[in-house]
Amino acid sequence: MSVGLEKLERVEDMARTDASSERLCIQSSEGGEQDSFKDLKLASQTILETLQQNGRSKCPKCLSSRMFYCYSCCLLVDGVNSDEIPQVKLPLKIDIIKHPNETDGKSTAVHAKLLARDDVNIYTYPCMPDNEEEKHEVVVVFPGPKSVSFEDLPKHLSKLANEKSALLKHSSKNVRSRDESITLEEPEHKRAKYDHKDQGSSEERDFGQAKTKISPLKRVIFIDSTWNQTNKIITDERLQELLHVELRTRKTCFWRCQKGKPDTYLATIEAIYYFLVDYHQLLLNENYNGEYDNLLFFYSFMYRLINRAKLAAGKLN
């Protein structure tokens, strides 16, 4: 069935992506549609096809008219059972910091929350997560002059972990020194409580292991904002003290790329997905078998829907 311009506009409105400051960058090939997601191991998208054909439904909380999900409440629309939408278990926690001026309907961050609800939290700046983890257990994914490449991430994490171990070792020696001076003044029968030789060797083994083992990440922070608005968040001192990492080899498939920005600047859900794939392979050192592909469940469907609409309207590049 042909797709007219009126329907095309409705499809773009459904995706609610940025308009005036961006250029359309749908991919195509001479033979027609180019599917960048054809090799993903995705759950059935029949429910999305049905919803798209039936039109908008109400959000069960705010009662607003939405397609697929409510981007304000992070809830599926009425008539959709949670078991019809895949859930992805992540190997670490994801925190997304959203710019206060970012329009909810333009963001792909909600995809992560809907598809990995137990492992994803969204904050609106200036609110930020209270990081209880050590510095070598948290990174910020953002391109910039101080960012390291993902390939160099293990080296930098190891360095931070070693610095922490050295600090702990130095502190432990000071504590033992104070304990020993106190023990010398105590009655002889109390000395049995302290076996400093065994304790010291045990600690040395622990610290020795820490020096050779890269502590696994526990939390990753992403910024959800238009690129022109990111400076206020990324320069916040709470993020400046953390290690920044950049995904330099991945290219976006987002249907609206911001003008003047390289194609390695990813949509939020793309950045989360590609980070986890690289983390799985390079840091966990495991073969990737599509464990996180369903994070692109909504994104890939919208991509195809808009791509087909543009192709039918003759609007593809």
Side-chain angles (χ1 to χ4, degrees), residues 82-96:
S82 59
D83 58 2
E84 295 179 285
I85 303 298
Q87 278 295 302
V88 184
K89 180 60 181 174
L90 307 185
L92 36 71
K93 299 299 182 183
I94 300 292
D95 289 328
I96 302 171

Side-chain angles (χ1 to χ4, degrees), residues 51-301:
L51 289 171
Q52 192 269 326
Q53 293 170 1
N54 293 342
R56 294 172 178 266
S57 300
K58 287 185 177 181
C59 168
K61 183 176 180 179
C62 69
L63 303 182
S64 297
S65 177
R66 299 285 190 253
M67 179 68 75
F68 305 142
Y69 53 80
C70 179
Y71 42 75
S72 301
C73 303
C74 290
L75 294 173
L76 299 171
V77 296
D78 281 340
V80 182
N81 296 322
S82 59
D83 58 2
E84 295 179 285
I85 303 298
Q87 278 295 302
V88 184
K89 180 60 181 174
L90 307 185
L92 36 71
K93 299 299 182 183
I94 300 292
D95 289 328
I96 302 171
I97 303 173
K98 188 171 74 70
H99 193 282
N101 295 333
E102 177 75 357
T103 304
D104 291 337
K106 297 177 182 179
S107 170
T108 60
V110 63
H111 297 184
K113 183 61 179 175
L114 288 168
L115 297 167
R117 187 172 297 276
D118 293 339
D119 297 316
V120 176
N121 286 303
I122 300 177
Y123 302 82
T124 300
Y125 187 81
C127 294
M128 284 195 187
D130 295 325
N131 291 318
E132 299 178 354
E133 294 83 1
E134 302 292 345
K135 288 183 180 180
H136 61 276
E137 297 173 333
V138 185
V139 297
V140 179
V141 178
F142 189 83
K146 64 172 290 185
S147 300
V148 303
S149 68
F150 197 98
E151 290 72 21
D152 288 337
L153 181 58
K155 176 179 65 177
H156 288 276
L157 290 176
S158 179
K159 179 181 177 182
L160 290 173
N162 288 342
E163 291 173 353
K164 178 65 176 179
S165 295
L167 181 61
L168 287 175
K169 184 176 181 180
H170 178 72
S171 299
S172 179
K173 284 183 177 180
N174 289 339
V175 171
R176 291 203 304 271
S177 178
R178 288 196 298 269
D179 288 345
E180 288 169 353
S181 64
I182 294 173
T183 303
L184 291 175
E185 299 175 0
E186 292 177 341
E188 184 70 22
H189 67 275
K190 289 187 177 181
R191 292 181 183 176
K193 292 183 178 180
Y194 301 88
D195 191 346
H196 298 299
K197 182 178 180 181
D198 291 341
Q199 181 180 342
S201 62
S202 175
E203 287 177 350
E204 291 296 336
R205 286 196 300 270
D206 291 342
F207 286 119
Q209 291 174 357
K211 287 183 179 180
T212 58
K213 179 182 178 181
I214 299 176
S215 178
L217 288 175
K218 292 184 178 180
R219 190 172 301 275
V220 184
I221 298 174
F222 294 84
I223 309 300
D224 186 54
S225 170
T226 60
W227 290 105
N228 294 331
Q229 296 180 141
T230 56
N231 188 64
K232 184 177 182 179
I233 300 178
I234 200 61
T235 56
D236 190 293
E237 62 181 9
R238 291 170 290 180
L239 297 183
Q240 283 296 303
E241 63 182 12
L242 299 174
L243 180 64
H244 292 201
V245 61
E246 180 176 354
L247 305 176
R248 297 173 180 170
T249 62
R250 304 294 192 173
K251 294 185 178 181
T252 185
C253 289
F254 193 39
W255 42 90
R256 288 190 179 277
C257 308
Q258 292 202 37
K259 187 176 181 180
K261 303 298 182 182
D263 57 6
T264 54
Y265 279 28
L266 308 173
T268 302
I269 193 63
E270 289 179 314
I272 294 172
Y273 169 73
Y274 285 128
F275 181 91
L276 290 171
V277 172
D278 290 344
Y279 176 81
H280 192 91
Q281 294 174 312
L282 297 179
L283 268 72
L284 297 184
N285 197 28
E286 296 180 11
N287 293 328
Y288 182 70
N289 294 307
E291 285 85 352
Y292 317 120
D293 284 4
N294 273 320
L295 287 175
L296 299 178
F297 181 75
F298 292 112
Y299 188 78
S300 62
F301 185 83

